[in-house]
Amino acid sequence: KAGVTQTPRYLIKTRGQQVTLSCSPISGHRSVSWYQQTPGQGLQFLFEYFSETQRNKGNFPGRFSGRQFSNSRSEMNVSTLELGDSALYLCASSLVGWTREDEKLFFGSGTQLSVL
Amino acid sequence: DAKTTQPPSMDCAEGRAANLPCNHSTISGNEYVYWYRQIHSQGPQYIIHGLKNNETNEMASLIITEDRKSSTLILPHATLRDTAVYYCIVGLNAGKSTFGDGTTLTVKP
């Protein structure tokens, strides 16, 4: 059974640009969550999608957005990139997500974004 | 969700058992204890989780105290590949919980 796939693995952008990251969840999983990980802030929750709807959102500015497609694949977009957006962006999939107790998350390997 | 406290770092000799402690004194009755680990620059990997009873799977064992205020993750025969940051998180659902700083486990030959 294939795991969570994130593309691209590495990305270099300059300030002001925008970026789109992709996440393919485990087959059958309908919930996709996105996280930002930096050395100083640790793992921070961005948003969670289920059945193409954003159900939960973390405390990030509107420059960070996402969407989910009917096949559960998800993308996140960051517009007007800032130096502080340099981070490892992780997505995680689960069967039904946050509404169910005892739910395990399965993470992808992440996209390492560097903003110059 | 309850807050967890873990030692920042631990060492373990290869082939020996690694016992990683976690305190979660404010855990609620219906909150689970989850353990994940993260190898450098990879995504966190699920290890094990439990509610009240001790749990064991092919990767590790989880021992939860009777009062549920602390737990221990046991890697029975640590290998060099077990060197990673180990996160203990507590919550109704792993996605809602907060990943703290974790414990950096270094397995030494």
Side-chain angles (χ1 to χ4, degrees), chain B residues 11-18 76-83 106-109:
Chain B
D11 291 341
C12 177
E14 188 177 20
R16 304 296 294 270
H77 305 286
T79 70
L80 299 179
R81 287 178 295 180
D82 291 323
T83 292
T106 303
V107 180
K108 298 184 175 181

Side-chain angles (χ1 to χ4, degrees), chain A residues 4-92:
Chain A
V4 179
T5 304
Q6 289 189 248
T7 56
R9 184 70 179 94
Y10 300 95
L11 206 50
I12 299 175
K13 293 285 187 179
T14 57
R15 282 181 297 173
Q17 288 187 311
Q18 75 165 16
V19 66
T20 299
L21 312 180
S22 179
C23 173
S24 293
I26 291 172
S27 178
H29 285 193
R30 297 170 63 190
S31 169
V32 173
S33 300
W34 287 90
Y35 298 82
Q36 181 196 66
Q37 187 174 36
T38 59
Q41 298 295 320
L43 199 69
Q44 292 187 290
F45 168 72
L46 280 156
F47 26 66
E48 185 224 4
Y49 284 87
F50 179 82
S51 291
E52 303 178 67
T53 301
Q54 187 182 92
R55 279 198 308 201
N56 295 283
K57 189 175 189 304
N59 190 26
F60 277 81
R63 300 186 296 108
F64 293 81
S65 62
R67 59 177 175 169
Q68 187 181 34
F69 302 96
S70 58
N71 62 358
S72 294
R73 190 178 71 85
S74 178
E75 290 181 346
M76 69 161 281
N77 184 276
V78 187
S79 62
T80 319
L81 283 166
E82 300 177 358
L83 296 178
D85 296 333
S86 294
L88 179 66
Y89 289 88
L90 294 158
C91 87

